[in-house]
Amino acid sequence: MADYRNIVILTGAGISAESGLATFRGPGGLWEGHRVEDVCTPEALAHDPALVHRFYDLRRAALAAVAPNAAHAALARLDAEWPGELLIVTQNVDDLHERAGTGRLLHMHGELTSALCAACDARVSWPGDLPPKTPCAACGAPALRPDIVFFGEMPYQMERIERALAACDLFVSIGTSGAVYPAAGFVQTARHYGAETLELNLEPSGGSGWFGESRLGPAGVLVPAWVDEVLAR
Ligand code: BV8
């Protein structure tokens, strides 16, 4: 293990699986019989807003029934104790990283507990159901939508992510299938800038071949062990 200073961590649905939230491409990965790709698009929102809003209402409501697991807790410990730079980039829209206490975090695909105004881009915390045509408090337009990055939309804070990838000396990917871009390409960017790369996943992902090291197993076991290793340096 080299002497790391700056770490970037990418997390996906696999880190929340042991909390009871279904992943997208695993068993039970369908939502009400819908593939995410079919309801997570601007076209689906325009065509059937009630379906898309309900899809996200159900997932937002499910948050109350789940809690962070040992993997989220371990990353929160790393965030609290790591003296160098650290950025946790999550593809997940659940709030489990925050509830575990992680601060150095960004949601590149949005958040279930936030609503976005399609008219004025205002964001507002939204813990409950969000019916279509809910008025925006900032501009009054009946245009609040789930604050979710749909397929075909630009993920959030990409410049900040790219700067962090260029500056990091360790990139760790946890619980993601490597099926969705640009997140699936982050390992290649990190390698290009000379970072070491580690994958912690239940099974080999689409991008396993790009990682310097791959450890297979549940995040609830692998992540606390890895955090102990890094903090013991
Ligand atoms: C963009 C929203 C460009 C919230 C998500 C054709 C047409 C249009 C676009 C494209 C196209 N071809 C390619 C694209 C690009 C597209 C894409 O990549 N498509 C794929 C399907 C081919 N990407 C986009 O559209 C992105 N935007 O490219 O914009 C652009 C440029 C300029 C201007 C404007 C636009 C936007 C992508 C974001 C889509 N939104 N989520 C939500 O509903 O959740 S994606 C969604 O799926 C998640 O956020 C996440 O990113 C992805 C799911 O992936 P994972 O998290 O990895 O989950 P998965 O189930 O797949 O895997 C779980 C893994 O965990 C598995 O490996 C499993 O083994 C492991 N695991 C399970 N249990 C455990 C475990 N590991 C450890 N422990 C366990 N216990």
Side-chain angles (χ1 to χ4, degrees), residues 13 24-25 56 59 91 109 149 152-153 176-177 181 203 219:
F24 297 94
R25 292 170 182 82
Y56 285 99
R59 292 174 65 193
Q91 301 172 89
H109 289 161
V149 176
E153 294 183 328
T176 180
S177 62
Y181 287 83
E203 62 210 1

Side-chain angles (χ1 to χ4, degrees), residues 4 6 14 22 33 53 57 63 67 73 118 120 124 128 145-146 149-150 164 177-178 225:
Y4 305 124
N6 299 353
H53 279 250
D57 285 350
L63 293 178
C120 75
V124 59
R145 57 164 272 186
V149 176
F150 292 146
S177 62

Side-chain angles (χ1 to χ4, degrees), residues 90-175:
T90 188
Q91 301 172 89
N92 300 338
V93 293
D94 65 54
D95 59 354
L96 295 176
H97 280 300
E98 293 87 335
R99 286 163 57 188
T102 295
R104 292 185 275 185
L105 170 73
L106 76 83
H107 284 268
M108 67 178 289
H109 289 161
E111 298 175 71
L112 283 171
T113 56
S114 170
L116 170 70
C117 178
C120 75
D121 269 351
R123 277 189 175 75
V124 59
S125 172
W126 205 274
D129 284 355
L130 177 66
K133 299 196 183 309
T134 297
C136 166
C139 74
L144 285 187
R145 57 164 272 186
D147 186 8
I148 297 292
V149 176
F150 292 146
F151 286 97
E153 294 183 328
M154 177 59 88
Y156 294 151
Q157 304 193 55
M158 283 303 294
E159 283 174 20
R160 178 179 172 200
I161 296 169
E162 272 146 14
R163 279 199 307 276
L165 290 170
C168 78
D169 36 43
L170 176 62
F171 173 75
V172 186
S173 176
I174 302 172

